[in-house]
Amino acid sequence: MSNSDDWGTGHAPRTDQAGVRFRPRIGPLDVLVRLWRAKWLMILVFLPIFLLGLLAAFQMPTEYEARSRLYVRLGDESVFRPRVGSALGEGQPLAPDTEQLLLAELEVLQSPVVAERALEKFPLQRIFPKLVTAMEKEMEKEPADLHDAIAEETFQKAIAALQKRFKAGAAPKTPVIAASIEHEDAEVSAELLNAMIGAYLDYRQEVFAGSGSDSLRDQRKKFEGQLLDVESDIRAFLRSNNIGDFESERATAQQLYATISGELLTNQSRASAVEGQLDTYNRQLATIEPQQDMYVEDSSASQLMQLKIEREDLLSRYTADSRAVQAIDTRIAQLEDYLNSRDGLAGTTRRGPNPVYQQIEQAAANLEAERQSLALQEAELQRQLNRVEARLAWLNDLTPEWQELQRRKALMEANVENFSVREIQENALAEISVESADSVRVLEPARVPVKGSSLKMPIAALAFLFAGFTALMMGLLSALMRRGFPTAASVERTTGLPVIAAVGKA
């Protein structure tokens, strides 16, 4: 027997002054004794609880679990290809890793759409008879106009129940998805799981097939509408400014401005040259006589020559001292003195126009006419240049608005072309994906399970443990709350007096 200190504050001194305790002090053996004496109470508590647990356990149905496995690999439909934000053909495709791919496929597999499509292939009475029975009872109580709503609500409950029964998962770093469904009917579990797999494969093709091309087509049409609006704005701009072709108009104006400017510079350069040459001719005309002597009729020289011939003739007959010779010498001397007193010939003079003066004068007149022509030409060129310059300035003022319209048009055209190519590529990829949709393959189709599983034994074991624990707690409560001394040792520990003898009940 254990020390009594385990069941009280300490051993009471055995003196005459020690008072009798009203609550007995008991030990472990005393507790066992009292538990034994409360055995009928514990049996009465244990049996109802255990029997109720057995009843609940035997009511649990046998579930048959059908299993299937899917192999998942990376396909074209799972690769992300940028549609915007990059140059055509330069987008780098992004592929998910194995874990991300499996998570995405599990989300599609566990979608309510898959459960709904699989459930539509079976009569609801065969899959969930209890739900159908409850629906029929509810329909009997409600008017006919609410039957469709009750049926839809029941169908949604069936979908939720099917999703609850359906389980799917994948091991880490393994491209295999394991799926299972439990049902009371073995054949139904296999058929239902195969229907779920088929609905999943069909649904994932719809998910990955046409959504991309549809969005690209919608976006392309949107950009085409914006392109038409920009072209309409361009036509309105040209019409309001009375311009046929803006770029041609501006190029023509720039070319005319350059041509007229060049001609004006050439004109001014030629006018300066003409002005300088004309000044030179005018200075030359100032120094040249307009007329000149053509010839002079003068017989003095011939008379002098005749006199000298006559003197020679006289000398042949006379001497130099003769009167005849001296007379002719006097005449020769007088005629020489006359000729020496004149500067040049004398006599009748004929004058006429100076050809050099006339030539220079004609050239000057031509230059003057050219100078006047150049002045008129310069004035006309300046007028044309001012008009072209004004139009060019007007076109330059319109250039920012025109360039903005052209930028918008170029952007819309690039977007339309980009999305058209993307749409064609997406359609091609969708067709390829539909024709060769083998990124998910069924490794193991569901078969009818041979052996079922039930919760009868676990529930029965839990009922036994719970009933036993409850009965034990009731026995302990009775043992601890009960007054009296179960054994002689309890009396000694409580009173501090030795027990000489114990008398049992007769």
Side-chain angles (χ1 to χ4, degrees):
M1 184 178 293
S2 302
N3 194 334
S4 61
D5 291 341
D6 298 335
W7 295 87
T9 58
H11 184 72
R14 298 183 180 184
T15 63
D16 296 338
Q17 297 177 354
V20 178
R21 297 179 182 272
F22 293 98
R23 186 177 183 83
R25 300 181 63 188
I26 59 177
L29 183 60
D30 301 329
V31 174
L32 294 177
V33 171
R34 284 191 172 182
L35 286 175
W36 174 252
R37 291 175 181 176
K39 59 182 177 294
W40 296 113
L41 174 63
M42 291 189 291
I43 290 173
L44 290 175
V45 173
F46 173 80
L47 285 178
I49 297 176
F50 181 60
L51 291 177
L52 290 174
L54 286 179
L55 181 61
F58 282 107
Q59 288 181 350
M60 296 299 296
T62 301
E63 298 283 345
Y64 294 91
E65 184 179 23
R67 298 180 180 179
S68 177
R69 291 190 301 165
L70 303 174
Y71 175 74
V72 181
R73 69 179 182 87
L74 183 64
D76 291 336
E77 69 276 4
S78 300
V79 179
F80 171 72
R81 294 175 177 82
R83 297 171 181 168
V84 293
S86 61
L88 189 62
E90 295 181 358
Q92 295 296 329
L94 301 177
D97 55 22
T98 303
E99 183 176 358
Q100 293 175 339
L101 182 62
L102 289 176
L103 289 176
E105 296 294 342
L106 284 173
E107 289 296 327
V108 178
L109 180 59
Q110 296 173 346
S111 171
V113 179
V114 175
E116 179 181 358
R117 294 185 179 183
L119 198 59
E120 288 175 349
K121 299 179 180 179
F122 299 90
L124 194 59
Q125 176 68 33
R126 185 184 179 193
I127 308 299
F128 298 109
K130 294 181 180 180
L131 284 177
V132 174
T133 303
M135 178 187 68
E136 292 176 350
K137 291 181 179 180
E138 187 176 359
M139 285 182 176
E140 292 177 357
K141 300 177 183 179
E142 300 293 339
D145 56 347
L146 296 178
H147 289 180
D148 293 339
I150 295 173
E152 179 63 24
E153 182 180 0
T154 303
F155 187 73
Q156 295 301 324
K157 290 180 180 179
I159 293 175
L162 180 59
Q163 284 187 289
K164 188 175 181 180
R165 290 171 179 261
F166 178 73
K167 299 177 183 179
K173 298 182 180 180
T174 303
V176 177
I177 295 177
S180 64
I181 284 183
E182 292 183 351
H183 198 270
E184 293 84 356
D185 191 331
E187 293 183 0
V188 170
S189 64
E191 293 177 8
L192 194 56
L193 181 56
N194 286 328
M196 287 281 291
I197 299 301
Y200 155 70
L201 294 176
D202 294 338
Y203 180 59
R204 74 180 300 276
Q205 284 187 359
E206 295 179 10
V207 170
F208 294 115
S211 60
S213 60
D214 292 341
S215 60
L216 288 172
R217 182 177 61 254
D218 295 339
Q219 193 66 31
R220 175 182 58 79
K221 290 183 178 179
K222 178 181 178 181
F223 284 130
E224 286 178 350
Q226 294 178 359
L227 179 59
L228 292 176
D229 294 339
V230 173
E231 291 178 346
S232 178
D233 294 340
I234 291 175
R235 288 193 297 270
F237 171 81
L238 296 175
R239 187 167 51 251
S240 62
N241 293 286
N242 195 21
I243 298 175
D245 187 348
F246 186 86
E247 295 296 339
S248 298
E249 290 278 349
R250 191 172 64 168
T252 302
Q254 291 175 346
Q255 184 177 2
L256 285 175
Y257 183 83
T259 303
I260 295 174
S261 298
E263 291 181 358
L264 182 60
L265 290 176
T266 303
N267 177 276
Q268 293 174 349
S269 176
R270 177 58 183 168
S272 299
V274 168
E275 190 70 27
Q277 192 172 2
L278 186 60
D279 291 341
T280 302
Y281 284 162
N282 289 331
R283 288 194 299 270
Q284 289 178 354
L285 290 175
T287 59
I288 298 175
E289 291 293 334
Q291 293 184 351
Q292 65 177 356
D293 295 337
M294 302 296 293
Y295 60 92
V296 179
E297 295 181 356
D298 188 359
S299 59
S300 299
S302 59
Q303 290 178 2
L304 178 61
M305 182 61 64
Q306 186 67 31
L307 289 175
K308 287 182 178 181
I309 292 173
E310 291 180 359
R311 180 177 180 276
E312 291 296 330
D313 183 55
L314 289 177
L315 287 176
S316 62
R317 295 192 307 264
Y318 301 99
T319 62
D321 294 336
S322 64
R323 290 183 177 180
V325 173
Q326 289 181 355
I328 201 167
D329 288 335
T330 302
R331 291 177 61 188
I332 291 172
Q334 290 177 351
L335 190 57
E336 288 179 351
D337 292 338
Y338 172 74
L339 292 174
N340 291 331
S341 64
R342 290 178 51 202
D343 186 12
L345 299 176
T348 302
T349 304
R350 295 184 177 273
R351 298 182 61 83
N354 191 345
V356 176
Y357 184 88
Q358 288 181 343
Q359 184 179 2
I360 295 176
E361 186 180 30
Q362 182 63 36
N366 293 336
L367 290 176
E368 180 64 25
E370 185 178 2
R371 184 180 68 81
Q372 294 178 2
S373 175
L374 290 173
L376 294 175
Q377 185 181 10
E378 181 182 3
E380 179 62 22
L381 290 174
Q382 189 63 49
R383 185 183 64 81
Q384 294 179 2
L385 184 64
N386 293 336
R387 186 175 62 184
V388 172
E389 187 175 8
R391 181 169 181 79
L392 186 60
W394 176 67
L395 292 174
N396 289 334
D397 292 338
L398 296 177
T399 297
E401 183 179 358
W402 171 258
Q403 290 178 346
E404 176 63 23
L405 292 173
Q406 292 301 308
R407 279 193 297 268
R408 289 172 53 193
K409 180 181 179 182
L411 180 60
M412 292 302 105
E413 288 177 345
N415 287 334
V416 169
E417 181 181 1
N418 188 8
F419 277 88
S420 297
V421 174
R422 295 287 185 178
E423 182 183 356
I424 295 174
Q425 293 177 350
E426 194 72 20
N427 288 330
L429 289 175
E431 292 177 359
I432 293 174
S433 299
V434 171
E435 293 176 357
S436 60
D438 56 351
S439 58
V440 176
R441 298 181 179 180
V442 180
L443 292 180
E444 180 184 344
R447 296 182 176 87
V448 178
V450 177
K451 186 178 180 180
S453 61
S454 176
L455 296 178
K456 294 179 181 180
M457 292 304 295
I459 292 178
L462 288 176
F464 178 81
L465 292 175
F466 181 72
F469 178 77
T470 305
L472 181 60
M473 290 297 103
M474 292 299 296
L476 286 174
L477 183 62
S478 176
L480 295 176
M481 297 298 294
R482 205 173 162 184
R483 293 182 178 275
F485 301 101
T487 61
S490 176
V491 175
E492 289 182 352
R493 284 194 298 269
T494 305
T495 61
L497 299 175
V499 176
I500 301 302
V503 180
K505 293 182 179 180

